Amino acid sequence: MGELENRLIASATPKFFKGVSDLVAKELVVYWWMKKNGRIVYNSSGRGAEWRVRLRRGTPIGYSGIESINFAARNDREIATLAYRGIADGFMLTWQEVEQCKGEEAIYNLMDESAGDLDSDLLDALGTDIYGDGSTRGGKTIHGFASFLATSGTYAGLSQTNNANWRAQVVSGASFTSDPIGRLHRLKNATAKGEKGGKSRSRISIFLMPDTEFEALAAKLQAQQRYLRDDEMAKAGFDNCIVHGIPATKDEYCTASTVFGLNHRSLELRCTTKETFETFSGWSEALPRVFTGVGVSHMNLFCFNPRANGKLTSTDT
């Protein structure tokens, strides 16, 4: 839990836990955090304090860090700034649940599987958030693709309405079903304007799309083209094909009726922790005695040049 936990302890201990040891205060804060976010629900009957608590896993929540990062400049007076953000989630098991579901004889090892499920939940949340605009989970999720793929408003504190070189390329996806190759070519050309080192540097390097759009594209490719793939993406498990020299792939998290054209050279997913998600688990010291697990991330997605990225909207598949 790390930084988030420490902040909670720092803010809560002086007010509510005077005279309580740091260890107990830490456990109480973790317990309070889990209770507040719906991870603990009391049963109406049972024996003992720990028996009265049942397993509860809720949806991940978001939080925003206090650190702001200056990551790009459009001129001498304008600086792009974003704060780190993250995802937090947790699980809780009673002593009885752990005893009944552990060891080699168990049909389902609850301790091991719950920790693995926690990682899966966080990764699934990140897959959804990467396409968003940072407004979900109380406006505290990372600034995903939608935050900079716009022609108006602001991104990272800079106006995309007034700054053409900070404005992404948004192209109509109408007639995608009948001419997907032509639409993708149009989007590729829209981003390659010879800015920031030339057209090759500004050119889209990958297309991401939903299943239906990928199927429509594959149907229009000649038979030999359908089997031209980017080997590195294929090794990573992504079905893909090559369109005008650019790999195109489907993604289950991709926004419906939208094709994203991204330039990986202009993007950086910056994480402050060693791993993408930091997780820990252990038995609580305070009553009720329960086995808790918490996982958090502390990151954000930075786009140094929205002008080199774009999307097709309202595809007619």
Side-chain angles (χ1 to χ4, degrees), residues 3-316:
E3 184 178 353
L4 175 61
E5 181 185 77
N6 293 332
R7 289 181 187 171
L8 287 172
I9 294 173
S11 61
T13 300
K15 298 179 181 178
F16 305 113
F17 302 134
K18 288 183 178 180
V20 178
S21 69
D22 290 342
L23 177 61
V24 174
K26 176 180 178 180
E27 296 297 339
L28 288 174
V29 169
V30 173
Y31 176 79
W32 166 81
W33 183 83
M34 300 286 279
K35 179 77 167 66
K36 181 177 183 296
N37 292 288
R39 271 46 171 197
I40 300 177
V41 176
Y42 285 106
N43 289 326
S44 58
S45 61
R47 294 179 55 189
E50 69 267 42
W51 288 51
R52 297 187 60 223
V53 183
R54 59 183 169 89
L55 171 65
R56 178 70 181 271
R57 285 172 56 218
T59 56
I61 62 171
Y63 71 92
S64 181
I66 59 175
E67 301 87 354
S68 293
I69 307 299
N70 296 330
F71 66 93
R74 303 316 302 165
N75 55 46
D76 293 338
R77 298 175 301 279
E78 295 180 312
I79 300 294
T81 303
L82 288 177
Y84 280 116
R85 293 186 170 187
I87 312 168
D89 199 5
F91 69 87
M92 183 169 287
L93 305 174
T94 68
W95 173 85
Q96 182 186 28
E97 288 167 331
V98 171
E99 289 301 310
Q100 290 176 340
C101 303
K102 75 176 185 180
E104 296 180 357
E105 303 82 6
I107 296 176
Y108 187 83
N109 192 318
L110 208 56
M111 290 182 69
D112 291 344
E113 295 296 335
S114 294
D117 289 344
L118 179 59
D119 283 333
S120 298
D121 285 349
L122 292 169
L123 186 60
D124 188 59
L126 178 60
T128 301
D129 295 345
I130 201 74
Y131 284 94
D133 59 2
S135 62
T136 57
R137 282 188 266 280
K140 296 180 180 180
T141 49
I142 66 172
H143 293 84
F145 302 149
S147 63
F148 60 82
L149 291 179
T151 58
S152 62
T154 61
Y155 168 63
L158 302 183
S159 173
Q160 291 179 296
T161 305
N162 300 328
N163 297 310
N165 59 354
W166 194 243
R167 187 184 310 153
Q169 305 306 298
V170 180
V171 179
S172 171
S175 73
F176 186 87
T177 301
S178 60
D179 186 21
I181 300 175
R183 288 288 85 193
L184 295 178
H185 195 203
R186 173 71 185 86
L187 180 59
K188 184 195 78 168
N189 288 340
T191 63
K193 294 295 185 182
E195 184 186 346
K196 286 286 183 180
K199 293 184 178 181
S200 61
R201 183 173 176 179
S202 297
R203 193 181 73 167
I204 287 172
S205 57
I206 186 172
F207 293 115
L208 297 174
M209 61 192 72
D211 287 349
T212 52
E213 279 74 7
F214 188 77
E215 292 169 3
L217 172 62
K220 291 294 183 180
L221 293 173
Q222 296 180 13
Q224 64 269 29
Q225 289 179 304
R226 296 173 192 165
Y227 298 99
L228 292 175
R229 303 191 303 172
D230 182 273
D231 291 338
E232 293 302 317
M233 291 188 63
K235 291 177 182 178
F238 291 95
D239 290 334
N240 71 91
C241 56
I242 303 295
V243 182
H244 294 295
I246 301 173
T249 187
K250 61 181 180 180
D251 185 6
E252 62 181 293
Y253 298 103
C254 192
T255 307
S257 302
T258 306
V259 175
F260 294 84
L262 303 175
N263 184 331
H264 76 277
R265 293 172 290 271
S266 69
L267 303 174
E268 181 183 354
L269 184 64
R270 190 178 299 176
C271 185
T272 63
T273 51
K274 183 177 180 181
E275 302 294 336
T276 305
F277 301 110
E278 293 288 340
T279 60
F280 78 92
S281 59
W283 287 97
S284 64
E285 296 292 335
L287 290 177
R289 186 160 171 74
V290 289
F291 185 80
T292 62
V294 178
V296 297
S297 66
H298 196 232
M299 64 177 71
N300 212 336
L301 177 67
F302 300 89
C303 179
F304 302 97
N305 185 13
R307 180 69 185 79
N309 298 267
K311 64 180 178 180
L312 295 175
T313 60
S314 304
T315 55
D316 56 352

